[in-house]
Amino acid sequence: VHLNRKNLSGITSGVKVPEYSPDNLKPSIVHIGLGHFHRAHQAVYLDDLLNLGSGNAGIFEINTIPDGTGLAEKLAGQDNLYTLISRDAGGAEEVRVIGSILGYLSAPDNREAAIARMASAETEIISLTVTEKGYYYDTVTEDLSREHPDIVHDITNPREPKTVIAYIAASLKLRSETNKKPVTIMSCDNFPSNGKILKKCILSFCETAYPDLIPWIESNTAFPSSMVDRITPATTEADVQYLESAYGIKDALPVCCEDFRQWVLEDNFKSAVPDLAKAGVEIVPDVEPYELMKIRLLNGSHSALSYLAYLLGYREVAPAMGDPLLKTFIRNFYMEEITATLQDIPGTDFRVYKDTLISRFTNTNIGDHILRLTLDGSKKIPNAVLLPLEETLRQGRRCNAILLALAGWARFLEGTDEAGVPIPVEDCGRDTVMAAAASARRDPEGFLRAIGVHGIGADEMRSISGIFKDYLEKLHRDGTRRTLADFTGVPD
Ligand code: NAD
């Protein structure tokens, strides 16, 4: 059957469908960044809550960059419904139709309507999953990237925004002039202190674009930080076909993900927020220890493994992690160096957390791609890898596994693999990091500085650039397999 509201009753009995009517929902959440992750995470928690009969909060979706995949037509064609397929490592799968999305607007084609929707009195929460680069945050200056052409454009033309930052600012301006209702702005992207950084970027933008608005923002908005987790690869044509052949559902927008999920949210709201705790969201006073654990162990390990795995010839994550060389390197060396930089979390045993991560990474039932993990390393690595590296150095500990992982990234950024085949490097800072990688063997310190290692002394820099250079030379001389075998002691 073609997925839509009329056909829900005809869907096979093994598939869970919404037990609530979308007609009774209010669009009290506006979400920016309708990608795969949001559909596997926040929209699912909301769907759970609605199935429990708790509240009537639905989600109105906005994308601020042109989509190009016909998302609006696809969603409208199936009454905003879509199917979620989650699979555990044992092969069990759960299939359910999610009904918490109420509508969608592509902001570049409907600028005024998008801003009005965000500013509406009905909107209690504005949430985001727009990838790290969508924030235009410079980790070196610790401020909005004011020199970025998109931000320069938006500061000059605040009423014709391109960036999420300017859209939110324009909506706050309108809100402050109309209904004046407080609002919660909730980042669900993968980087530490995401709420604080979002607030900083918005305030920094407003300093120039709307200076009079700042006091209103200070007293009428909250920016809770969050830790979000569920491995969600991009949907493939094979997934679409599988859903139809196995379950008889024709859905243009299914999402496949792992069974695991976690959402830890800072208890910091300024508006009426659904009772997310009922759906399993952990609401805590301080998210930071959870963010550090998740970003450094999960995302950092993803980065550490992806470049080396690509060089070893792997294209999917599960088979790569099934290779004893990589698995030992990540579990017994990389993760151990990282753990020393974490803060204790009562009730959380890091050993169990790491073992669970390894079994999630080796879940052969979700086809997660190595290239997805390699995307935008220049944005992800500073938080996930370099901050723990600097902390490890401050503690006077060994950081060889971290340095080998960085050498793997530098080797990847050289742009050709061990057989001389070009590597598809996709990175928003591609030119800078590739140029630094091209001269990294000659100038290892230059590479480390270019990627953002800056909070350490000259002696430490000399020492780590020596080790980094030795690994990079060894990757060239002996290849990735031999280098990992010598490092881990696992026979290759
Ligand atoms: P995706 O490619 O499916 O979707 C990306 C979304 O971000 C799209 O809606 C796109 O419009 C928007 N976007 C991208 N660049 C933007 C920009 N510069 N400005 C405004 N919007 C922009 O990716 P996804 O899997 O949904 O991941 C999105 C984010 O979610 C990640 O970057 C991460 O922060 C977070 N996340 C993802 C996962 C995962 O496993 N996929 C897990 C945890 C957290």
Side-chain angles (χ1 to χ4, degrees), residues 45-68:
Y45 280 94
L46 259 295
D47 186 71
D48 280 343
L49 211 53
L50 295 167
N51 280 327
L52 288 170
S54 174
N56 61 356
I59 312 171
F60 191 89
E61 305 286 347
I62 292 178
N63 271 357
T64 58
I65 56 171
D67 153 63

Side-chain angles (χ1 to χ4, degrees), residues 335-357:
M335 284 182 171
E336 293 313 291
E337 286 180 10
I338 294 297
T339 309
T341 72
L342 303 180
Q343 299 172 12
D344 278 346
I345 304 177
T348 300
D349 179 341
F350 291 140
R351 234 179 3 195
V352 175
Y353 186 81
K354 286 179 282 194
D355 289 341
T356 308
L357 279 181

Side-chain angles (χ1 to χ4, degrees), residues 268-328:
N268 172 21
F269 311 109
K270 261 280 174 354
S271 52
V273 168
D275 190 356
L276 291 165
K278 261 199 190 152
V281 180
E282 297 160 71
I283 313 276
V284 303
D286 182 10
V287 187
E288 196 189 335
Y290 296 87
E291 290 174 327
L292 294 186
M293 172 182 75
K294 193 264 171 174
I295 291 164
R296 293 181 179 189
L297 283 177
L298 189 154
N299 301 97
S301 298
H302 262 168
S303 295
L305 75 89
S306 63
Y307 304 107
L308 292 166
Y310 189 93
L311 294 168
L312 287 173
Y314 292 107
R315 297 296 177 264
E316 291 212 13
V317 181
M321 283 308 278
D323 184 327
L325 278 182
L326 262 182
K327 185 171 169 173
T328 307

